[in-house]
C-alpha cells in the first residue's frame, strides 16, 4: 500500500493533469504513477509488433475486441515514441490498470526473443518524488543567509560555465536576488492560486538556480519550465521536451535535472531512450537527482549513471542530512547513486523579494520518521499541518509567509550543489570539458559519508555550513 504522502501527491498531480487518468503502480505499491489505458513503444516496426501482440492477447484472453487497441498518437517525433491505447482509460480506479499490466505480459516472451524491451507504461516523470521533495519549504527570516553561502568568485560572461536547469519556471521577481540577476529562462506559468496563495511547487526551479549560482557564481544559468505546476510530465512527452530544450538553447556544459521516476526495471526509460543515446555522444554532463523514495530501486534518468556507456555522461546524486556525515532519511541509495551532496535544510531563493507571499502547507508532518530514522528529520520537524492531510478532518492547515529566502530539503537540491561544485572546478582549473571535470572532482574527493552502511563520496562545498542534527523534539 502506498504511504500517506504518496496518496496525497497522487491526488495533487491528478488535479494538475485533469485530462490524463492516472494509476498507481506496480499493483498499488506506490512506487510510481502512470497513464491508464496506454502503453509506449518505439515508432515503426516495434510499434506494429506491440499492437499485434496486444490485440491478440486481449482477443484471446480478455474478451476485448481488437478495436480497443489503437494508436493514440501515431505521429513520429524526435523521441521516437508512440502511445498505443489498449483500453478505455476511464475504466476502473487509480489503484492499478489490469489492461496495461496485461499488455506488458503479452509482450514478455516477444521481448525475450528480441533481446530488448519493446513496451512500457507511460510513467509520470516528476519532481514530486514519492511523490514529493524531501519536505515542503520553510520560511527564512529576513536577513538570513543562503546555505551554501556565496562562493568568492566573479561572474565572467566570457568564461562562465553553461548550466541548463530542467524544472519549473522562474519566479517573476527572481532578478531581485542578486545571484540570479543574469539568469534567464521560462517564467513560472502560475505562481499563486485564485486566493493569492503560493502554489505547492512554485519556486522549485528558482531555488535550484540559486543553489548553482551560490556554489559557482561564474555560471550562465538557463531555467526551462519543462514541468508543469505540480512538477510532473508524462514520459511520452518528457523526451521530446528535453530535445526541445537543447534545440532551443544549445547543448550546455551541464544539465541539472531534479526529476524522474522509478519503473520497476533496470534498463532505463523508453520515453527518454533517444535523448539519452544522443546525450552519450555529446560533451554535456547530465547531473540528476536520485529521488526521495528512501529506496534502492533505480530511479531514472539518474540511474543511467550505472548503465554501460553512460558512466561519464551521467552523475546521479543522493542527499546527505544536515551534518553531512550520513544520508538523509528520504534519499534513494544503492550502487547506482554515484555521489552524495548536502540536501537537507539548504537555503536559497524562493520568491517574495518584491513583497511577502502566503503559503499553505499541503502535507502534515509525521509523528515519526517514515523511514525509521531517529534524528530530527524532515518527516516530522518542523511540525506543521497540511490541507491535503486534513481534508475531511477538523484540523486547520498552517499558513506561513515567504519573503526572499527559504529552507528546503530533497535530492532535488543536492543535485544543483553537485552541479555547482563541478562548474566551480571548471572555472578554477580552466577546464572546458565537464565530464573530465566531473572525474577530477570525484577523484579529488576526500570526504565520505555513511549511507545505509556504505561509505560514499560526499561532495561538500567549502561555503556549506552543517546544520545541527539532534533527536526529534518531544511532543507537547
Amino acid at each position: 500500500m502506498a504511504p500517506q504522502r504518496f496518496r496525497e501527491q497522487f491526488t495533487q498531480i491528478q488535479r494538475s493533469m485533469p485530462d490524463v487518468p492516472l494509476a498507481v503502480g506496480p499493483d498499488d505499491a506506490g512506487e510510481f504513477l502512470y497513464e491508464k489505458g496506454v502503453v509506449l513503444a518505439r515508432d515503426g516496426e516495434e510499434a506494429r509488433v506491440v499492437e499485434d501482440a496486444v490485440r491478440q492477447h486481449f482477443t484471446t484472453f480478455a474478451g476485448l475486441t481488437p478495436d480497443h487497441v489503437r494508436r493514440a498518437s501515431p505521429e513520429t517525433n524526435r523521441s521516437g515514441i508512440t502511445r498505443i491505447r489498449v483500453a478505455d482509460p476511464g475504466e476502473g480506479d487509480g489503484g492499478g490498470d489490469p489492461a496495461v499490466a496485461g499488455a506488458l505480459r503479452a509482450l514478455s516472451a516477444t521481448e525475450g526473443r528480441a533481446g530488448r524491451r519493446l513496451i512500457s507504461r507511460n510513467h509520470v516523470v516528476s519532481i514530486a518524488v514519492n511523490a514529493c521533495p524531501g519536505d515542503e519549504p520553510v520560511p527564512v527570516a529576513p536577513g538570513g543567509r543562503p546555505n551554501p553561502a556565496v562562493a568568492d568568485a566573479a561572474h565572467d560572461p566570457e568564461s562562465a560555465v553553461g548550466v541548463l536547469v530542467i524544472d519549473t519556471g522562474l519566479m517573476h521577481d527572481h532578478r531581485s536576488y542578486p545571484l540570479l540577476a543574469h539568469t534567464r529562462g521560462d517564467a513560472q506559468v502560475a505562481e499563486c492560486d485564485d486566493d493569492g496563495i503560493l502554489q505547492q511547487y512554485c519556486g522549485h526551479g528558482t531555488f535550484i538556480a540559486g543553489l548553482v549560482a551560490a556554489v559557482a557564481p561564474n555560471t550562465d544559468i538557463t531555467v526551462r519550465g519543462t514541468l508543469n505546476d505540480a512538477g510532473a510530465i508524462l514520459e511520452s512527452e518528457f523526451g521530446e521536451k528535453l530535445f526541445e530544450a537543447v534545440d532551443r538553447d544549445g547543448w550546455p556544459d551541464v544539465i541539472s535535472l531534479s526529476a524522474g521516476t522509478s519503473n520497476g526495471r533496470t534498463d532505463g526509460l523508453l520515453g527518454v531512450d533517444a535523448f539519452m543515446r544522443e546525450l552519450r555522444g555529446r560533451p554535456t554532463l547530465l547531473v540528476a537527482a536520485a529521488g526521495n523514495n528512501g529506496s534502492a530501486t533505480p530511479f531514472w534518468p539518474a540511474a543511467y549513471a550505472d548503465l554501460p556507456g553512460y558512466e561519464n555522461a551521467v552523475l546521479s546524486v543522493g542527499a546527505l542530512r544536515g551534518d553531512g556525515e550520513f544520508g538523509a532519511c528520504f534519499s534513494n541509495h544503492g550502487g547506482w547513486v554515484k555521489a552524495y551532496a548536502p540536501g537537507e535544510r539548504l537555503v536559497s531563493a524562493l520568491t517574495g523579494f518584491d513583497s511577502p507571499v502566503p503559503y499553505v502547507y499541503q502535507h502534515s508532518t509525521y509523528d515519526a520518521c517514515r523511514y525509521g530514522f531517529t534524528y530530527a528529520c524532515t518527516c516530522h520537524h518542523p511540525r506543521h499541518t497540511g490541507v491535503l492531510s486534513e481534508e475531511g478532518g477538523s484540523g486547520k492547515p498552517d499558513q506561513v509567509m515567504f519573503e526572499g529566502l527559504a529552507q528546503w530539503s530533497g535530492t532535488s537540491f543536492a543535485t544543483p550543489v553537485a552541479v555547482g561544485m563541478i562548474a566551480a572546478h571548471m572555472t578554477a582549473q580552466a577546464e572546458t570539458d565537464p565530464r573530465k571535470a566531473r572525474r577530477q572532482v570525484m577523484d579529488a574527493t576526500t570526504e565520505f559519508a555513511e549511507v545505509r552502511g556504505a561509505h560514499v563520496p560526499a561532495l561538500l562545498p567549502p561555503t556549506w555550513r552543517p546544520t545541527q542534527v539532534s533527536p526529534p523534539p518531544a511532543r507537547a
Side-chain angles (χ1 to χ4, degrees):
M1 178 65 68
Q4 169 194 343
R5 188 165 289 189
F6 187 96
R7 286 287 176 191
E8 293 174 1
Q9 283 301 311
F10 172 78
T11 300
Q12 190 85 345
I13 291 175
Q14 183 66 88
R15 288 173 180 169
S16 77
M17 307 170 76
D19 299 326
V20 183
L22 299 178
V24 178
D27 300 325
D28 201 32
E31 291 184 15
F32 51 75
L33 305 178
Y34 64 98
E35 183 181 13
K36 291 177 62 181
V38 169
V39 296
L40 303 183
R42 294 180 183 87
D43 289 337
E45 181 60 28
E46 290 190 13
R48 287 188 287 273
V49 169
V50 169
E51 286 183 330
D52 291 345
V54 172
R55 185 177 288 112
Q56 181 180 5
H57 171 86
F58 283 159
T59 302
T60 304
F61 299 107
L64 300 180
T65 68
D67 290 339
H68 281 87
V69 184
R70 60 184 183 275
R71 298 280 183 97
S73 55
E75 69 278 2
T76 300
N77 53 50
R78 182 86 174 270
S79 61
I81 293 299
T82 293
R83 294 170 63 248
I84 300 174
R85 180 173 167 180
V86 297
D88 180 357
E91 295 179 351
D93 57 23
D97 188 337
V100 169
L104 296 176
R105 288 193 299 270
L107 266 294
S108 59
T110 305
E111 286 184 326
R113 291 191 297 271
R116 71 168 180 168
R117 179 163 40 143
L118 301 177
I119 186 173
S120 168
R121 293 178 174 91
N122 192 14
H123 302 88
V124 174
V125 177
S126 177
I127 63 173
V129 181
N130 195 29
C132 59
D135 67 350
E136 293 181 79
V138 177
V140 171
R145 296 184 299 162
N147 188 23
V150 182
D152 184 16
H155 177 257
D156 173 18
E158 297 300 320
S159 64
V161 177
V163 176
L164 174 62
V165 175
I166 302 292
D167 210 88
T168 62
L170 288 162
M171 303 301 282
H172 77 279
D173 55 0
H174 71 276
R175 293 187 187 277
S176 300
Y177 187 54
L179 280 179
L180 299 182
H182 56 271
T183 299
R184 64 188 182 95
D186 300 327
Q188 177 71 44
V189 175
E191 296 183 6
C192 297
D193 62 18
D194 293 340
D195 297 321
I197 305 296
L198 187 69
Q199 299 202 83
Q200 185 170 17
Y201 291 120
C202 284
H204 195 266
T206 303
F207 194 95
I208 286 170
L211 289 170
V212 174
V215 179
N218 191 31
T219 45
D220 281 337
I221 303 170
T222 301
V223 179
R224 289 295 166 216
T226 301
L227 307 171
N228 71 12
D229 61 353
I233 188 172
L234 288 173
E235 178 183 341
S236 57
E237 302 171 6
F238 188 51
E240 194 69 16
K241 292 292 186 181
L242 290 173
F243 275 120
E244 288 178 7
V246 295
D247 287 346
R248 179 175 180 178
D249 302 304
W251 286 84
D253 294 310
V254 184
I255 296 174
S256 180
L257 175 62
S258 293
T261 182
S262 59
N263 64 352
R265 298 186 62 106
T266 60
D267 56 356
L269 284 180
L270 200 61
V272 300
D273 181 64
F275 179 83
M276 295 303 296
R277 284 188 281 109
E278 182 155 341
L279 169 75
R280 191 167 54 185
R282 300 277 183 169
T284 298
L285 174 69
L286 171 64
V287 183
N292 303 332
N293 293 11
S295 168
T297 300
F299 183 80
W300 309 98
Y304 275 93
D306 208 39
L307 295 187
Y310 291 97
E311 302 91 337
N312 294 321
V314 182
L315 177 63
S316 48
V317 183
L320 299 175
R321 71 185 196 183
D323 59 7
E325 297 180 4
F326 297 89
C329 71
F330 53 78
S331 181
N332 283 350
H333 51 90
W336 57 272
V337 183
K338 301 305 179 182
Y340 290 78
E344 198 173 71
R345 299 186 174 94
L346 301 181
V347 178
S348 182
L350 186 73
T351 188
F353 289 96
D354 290 345
S355 60
V357 59
Y359 177 77
V360 173
Y361 280 104
Q362 301 297 307
H363 309 284
S364 298
T365 47
Y366 290 76
D367 291 334
C369 175
R370 52 195 161 136
Y371 303 108
F373 286 69
T374 57
Y375 75 100
C377 68
T378 59
C379 292
H380 54 108
H381 179 73
R383 300 199 67 82
H384 50 257
T385 298
V387 62
L388 293 176
S389 303
E390 299 303 318
E391 285 186 350
S394 58
K396 182 179 179 181
D398 291 326
Q399 178 173 305
V400 293
M401 300 294 290
F402 283 106
E403 186 174 5
L405 298 178
Q407 176 183 280
W408 215 343
S409 304
T411 60
S412 282
F413 313 123
T415 297
V417 170
V419 169
M421 291 191 68
I422 293 166
H425 178 87
M426 292 176 68
T427 294
Q429 302 300 319
E431 177 57 68
T432 59
D433 183 342
R435 298 185 182 183
K436 186 176 179 180
R438 176 251 192 209
R439 293 192 299 271
Q440 291 169 347
V441 168
M442 294 296 292
D443 290 345
T445 298
T446 59
E447 299 286 348
F448 291 85
E450 183 177 326
V451 177
R452 311 279 178 152
H455 290 279
V456 300
L459 303 180
L460 307 179
T463 61
W464 170 72
R465 304 182 305 277
T467 56
Q468 184 178 1
V469 176
S470 57
R475 299 201 67 182

